[in-house]
Amino acid sequence: MADTQPPEQPPSDQSQEQGEDGGPTKSALKKAAKAAEKEKKAAEKAAKQKELAQQKADSDVDYAVENYGALPLNQSQSRPRIQRDEIHTLSNRVGEKILVRARVQTSRAQGNKMVFLNLRQKTDSIQALLVVTPEKVSKQMVKWAASLADESIVLVEGTAEKTSEPIKSATVSDVEIHISKIHLISGLDARLPFSVEDATRPDDLTRADNESDISAEVQFKRVLLETRLNNRVIDLRTTTNQAIFKLQGAIGDLFREYLSARGFIEIHSPKLQGAATESGASVFQVSYFKGKAFLAQSPQLAKQMAIAADFERVYEIGPVFRAEDSNTHRHMTEFIGLDLEMAIEEHYHEVMETLDGMLKNIFSGLRDKYKKEIETVQRQYPADDFKWREGPEGTLVLSFREAVDILVEDGVPREDLDDFSTANEKRLGVLIKKKYDTDYYIIDKFPMELRPFYTMPDPEDPTLSNSYDFFMRGEEILSGAQRIHDPNLLCEKMRSKGVDPDSMKSYVDGFRMGCPPHGGGGIGLERVLMLFLKLNNIRRASLFPRDPKRLEP
């Protein structure tokens, strides 16, 4: 029987990976090295992923969550009496902690770690800076602050820090706020019709320092007056308008102070009247139960009746209504009148001089006490400073005839000057400024036919009157006169002007019982403000203007 041999077996892996001396082959060594390298890279990747996951987990923890966000609706839940600061004081607070409530005028993020805010209060603005700071200011906090809508109201806590160079975009240019906390008090629920920053830009582009500034300026949107008035609440937020209406309030204060110091009493007369004050053509008629009434064109009748009642000297600040369909730069259907009336001892120029002194007190008071506000307005509406005579020569006073002569000398036909048109008024103002270097002057002795029925005639020439107008920059701002205090002469003049004395019986009866000689004047508050600042349109000097085409807002 033949021997049976087992089949040949292939060499094992181990035998293949072993050299002749029993050690690993070169290929085995390479394979092991690759495996080790792969395991090392996998371990490194896993470690990196673990590190990133930990970083993400750490970043998801917002350590500044208490330092920002929207505050609960203020329903007067508490009153901790924490002092709030005003922006205009912060130049003197360097290094100190401050707390400010302000509007966000603009915001500008730089990456995800820094945001600049321009904060505004009334006429003042300041730059604020929020930067990511470990354990204090997080990225989430910066991102939230950068997302705040313009015009949001915020409560900001931080420190006032000196800046290395002036900040041109803020009125407070030498310090900035480094924010540590910022909370939203009131956000926006609608889209802004225009930005407050655009609405504050100068109208006169030639004020730019160079051509590149001009080129940059024209890229911005211009906000038209009609758009402003249609969205007046937003428009009034501009630093310019904040200054304008601070100056308007100052005019009223200066008017009161001057007259109260000279024995005048403030009165408040009714604005509903049973008859027209001056002429039916320019009066608003309203229904009054089963009859009709008229809105007062001025407090004229009430002022005179107060003098007849021995008040001696009175003034009033109140609304005046004129139903004149005049769509001009200087007319409104409702405006604020500054009126005064006073008894005369000897001559009606006593009244004219009192009015003159009062107006010059207003001019100097605005210039001396409100320089900052005037400069704020002039940045947007550049104008020459208003000029008036302050020396011993006194205010320039011309007679109506002298004023006519000045215009005739300049080429205006005399037959066109029975009264002054708006164009001739302005022309006269230019001529007077050139000749006398003043924006403010008085014209006396107007023709009788141009004045209302209660104006006293001149004693020597009955075609003239004891009346005067005051002018600023070539436009009338005050009309006044000596009034007729004799009832018989008053009735005569009323009839000559087409007014039935019986229709104003209570007014005429006040003079039948004895009344001292007296006179006064009425001033348009908005017109004085417009011309002092040279705003060029009276609507800019009225909070919510009323004209033949506007009853809203």
Side-chain angles (χ1 to χ4, degrees):
M1 182 174 180
D3 292 336
T4 303
Q5 293 183 357
E8 260 182 51
Q9 298 294 325
S12 67
D13 290 341
Q14 185 177 356
S15 64
Q16 289 179 349
E17 293 176 357
Q18 289 178 342
E20 294 178 355
D21 58 358
T25 65
K26 290 182 179 180
S27 63
L29 289 171
K30 288 181 179 180
K31 187 175 181 181
K34 286 182 179 180
E37 182 68 20
K38 187 175 181 181
E39 287 177 5
K40 180 182 177 183
K41 287 182 178 179
E44 288 176 349
K45 184 177 180 181
K48 185 68 174 177
Q49 288 175 338
K50 184 177 180 181
E51 181 183 355
L52 291 172
Q54 185 61 47
Q55 288 178 354
K56 187 175 185 303
D58 291 342
S59 66
D60 287 341
V61 177
D62 187 356
Y63 48 82
V65 68
E66 298 296 325
N67 297 338
Y68 72 97
L71 293 174
L73 178 67
N74 186 326
Q75 296 179 286
S76 300
Q77 296 95 324
S78 63
R79 192 180 183 187
R81 298 182 185 274
I82 300 173
Q83 180 68 39
R84 308 283 177 90
D85 297 301
E86 295 187 0
I87 284 174
H88 71 87
T89 68
L90 299 187
S91 292
N92 300 321
R93 302 281 304 281
V94 174
E96 297 181 27
K97 286 188 176 182
I98 54 94
L99 182 64
V100 169
R101 174 176 58 82
R103 283 194 185 271
V104 176
Q105 178 153 309
T106 58
S107 63
R108 176 170 52 91
Q110 289 196 345
N112 61 356
K113 294 185 177 181
M114 181 185 300
V115 62
F116 291 93
L117 303 176
N118 189 301
L119 303 179
R120 189 186 74 247
Q121 280 179 347
K122 295 182 287 188
T123 58
D124 303 297
S125 60
I126 192 170
Q127 179 173 281
L129 175 63
L130 183 64
V131 182
V132 170
T133 307
E135 305 303 321
K136 294 180 181 180
V137 177
S138 63
K139 286 185 178 180
Q140 295 95 322
M141 182 175 175
V142 170
K143 182 180 180 181
W144 178 86
S147 71
L148 288 168
D150 290 353
E151 294 304 295
S152 297
I153 301 174
V154 293
L155 186 65
V156 170
E157 186 176 329
T159 56
E161 299 292 348
K162 195 78 175 175
T163 59
S164 58
E165 58 184 39
I167 299 170
K168 295 181 179 180
S169 60
T171 62
V172 178
S173 60
D174 58 341
V175 297
E176 64 183 5
I177 300 173
H178 288 192
I179 300 173
S180 56
K181 295 182 181 181
I182 179 169
H183 291 90
L184 180 66
I185 294 175
S186 180
L188 274 64
D189 197 29
R191 184 179 178 181
L192 289 171
F194 50 81
S195 77
V196 171
E197 188 174 31
D198 283 341
T200 312
R201 299 190 191 284
D203 276 5
D204 184 0
L205 296 184
T206 62
R207 280 173 60 81
D209 293 333
N210 53 53
E211 291 183 6
S212 62
D213 289 341
I214 295 174
S215 299
E217 185 71 34
V218 297
Q219 296 176 16
F220 295 111
K221 295 179 181 178
R222 305 297 297 277
V223 185
L224 301 177
L225 180 59
E226 187 73 8
T227 304
R228 293 173 181 273
L229 297 180
N230 289 339
N231 302 276
R232 191 61 161 158
V233 170
I234 303 301
D235 185 43
L236 290 172
R237 292 179 185 175
T238 67
T239 53
T240 304
N241 278 323
Q242 293 287 316
I244 285 172
F245 290 98
K246 187 169 183 179
L247 291 166
Q248 188 190 83
I251 292 173
D253 289 343
L254 293 164
F255 177 78
R256 280 191 172 97
E257 289 169 8
Y258 185 86
L259 297 178
S260 294
R262 285 157 180 79
F264 282 77
I265 298 171
E266 183 171 9
I267 61 171
H268 304 282
S269 64
K271 304 309 167 194
L272 283 172
Q273 297 183 333
T277 310
E278 297 180 18
S279 65
S282 60
V283 66
F284 284 110
Q285 181 177 314
V286 296
S287 60
Y288 194 72
F289 302 104
K290 294 183 179 181
K292 61 184 179 181
F294 303 92
L295 295 181
Q297 295 162 291
S298 78
Q300 183 60 45
L301 307 186
K303 289 191 304 177
Q304 288 187 259
M305 293 167 76
I307 299 301
D310 291 343
F311 278 46
E312 290 291 319
R313 295 181 164 207
V314 298
Y315 70 87
E316 177 169 358
I317 300 178
V320 174
F321 301 92
R322 299 287 170 89
E324 298 171 355
D325 192 9
S326 298
N327 295 282
T328 74
H329 76 284
R330 64 175 187 172
H331 287 96
M332 294 192 296
T333 53
E334 180 183 353
F335 61 90
I336 300 301
L338 306 177
D339 282 86
L340 69 80
E341 203 78 14
M342 60 182 278
I344 294 170
E345 299 299 338
E346 297 175 340
H347 197 281
Y348 78 97
H349 280 179
E350 297 165 23
V351 187
M352 192 174 80
E353 290 161 4
T354 298
L355 288 162
D356 178 43
M358 177 269 298
L359 279 168
K360 288 193 289 188
N361 180 68
I362 289 175
F363 302 153
S364 60
L366 294 178
R367 178 195 61 196
D368 298 342
K369 299 177 182 178
Y370 297 91
K371 181 180 179 182
K372 173 186 172 183
E373 286 73 19
I374 292 170
E375 289 175 348
T376 298
V377 176
Q378 288 180 340
R379 281 197 292 270
Q380 183 162 4
Y381 301 113
D384 295 333
D385 288 339
F386 184 77
K387 296 188 73 173
W388 67 97
R389 286 182 171 182
E390 297 185 88
E393 73 276 15
T395 299
L396 176 66
V397 180
L398 301 171
S399 69
F400 184 85
R401 287 173 179 165
E402 288 172 331
V404 167
D405 289 342
I406 290 174
L407 287 167
V408 170
E409 289 173 10
D410 196 53
V412 180
R414 191 175 293 274
E415 57 269 22
D416 294 345
L417 294 171
D418 292 338
D419 193 4
F420 294 144
S421 65
T422 300
N424 283 332
E425 269 189 7
K426 290 187 174 182
R427 187 171 184 171
L428 180 63
V430 171
L431 295 171
I432 287 176
K433 179 66 179 290
K434 185 177 181 181
K435 185 174 182 179
Y436 298 101
D437 194 30
T438 181
D439 291 310
Y440 167 67
Y441 53 92
I442 301 169
I443 297 180
D444 194 15
K445 293 294 180 184
F446 274 76
M448 191 68 193
E449 64 180 355
L450 301 180
R451 310 306 270 194
F453 65 80
Y454 46 75
T455 305
M456 182 68 77
D458 180 89
E460 297 177 0
D461 184 350
T463 66
L464 300 179
S465 62
N466 291 350
S467 67
Y468 39 78
D469 281 359
F470 288 43
F471 292 81
M472 293 173 64
R473 300 190 196 266
E475 298 192 43
E476 179 236 315
I477 51 109
L478 180 153
S479 184
Q482 180 180 357
R483 324 300 188 183
I484 296 174
H485 59 282
D486 178 81
N488 297 322
L489 180 58
L490 180 62
C491 289
E492 177 189 329
K493 293 300 181 182
M494 291 175 80
R495 294 187 186 97
S496 71
K497 296 283 187 178
V499 179
D500 181 3
D502 290 337
S503 69
M504 303 176 71
K505 187 175 183 301
S506 59
Y507 168 68
V508 176
D509 284 348
F511 302 105
R512 295 192 189 282
M513 292 176 276
C515 180
H518 62 282
I523 308 164
L525 169 61
E526 294 89 347
R527 196 173 287 189
V528 170
L529 181 62
M530 172 188 74
L531 293 168
F532 186 85
L533 298 172
K534 202 174 182 181
L535 299 177
N536 298 325
N537 194 307
I538 198 166
R539 291 156 188 82
R540 293 192 177 105
S542 175
L543 195 67
F544 297 103
R546 294 290 177 261
D547 60 35
K549 297 179 179 178
R550 181 171 294 279
L551 277 172
E552 295 286 344

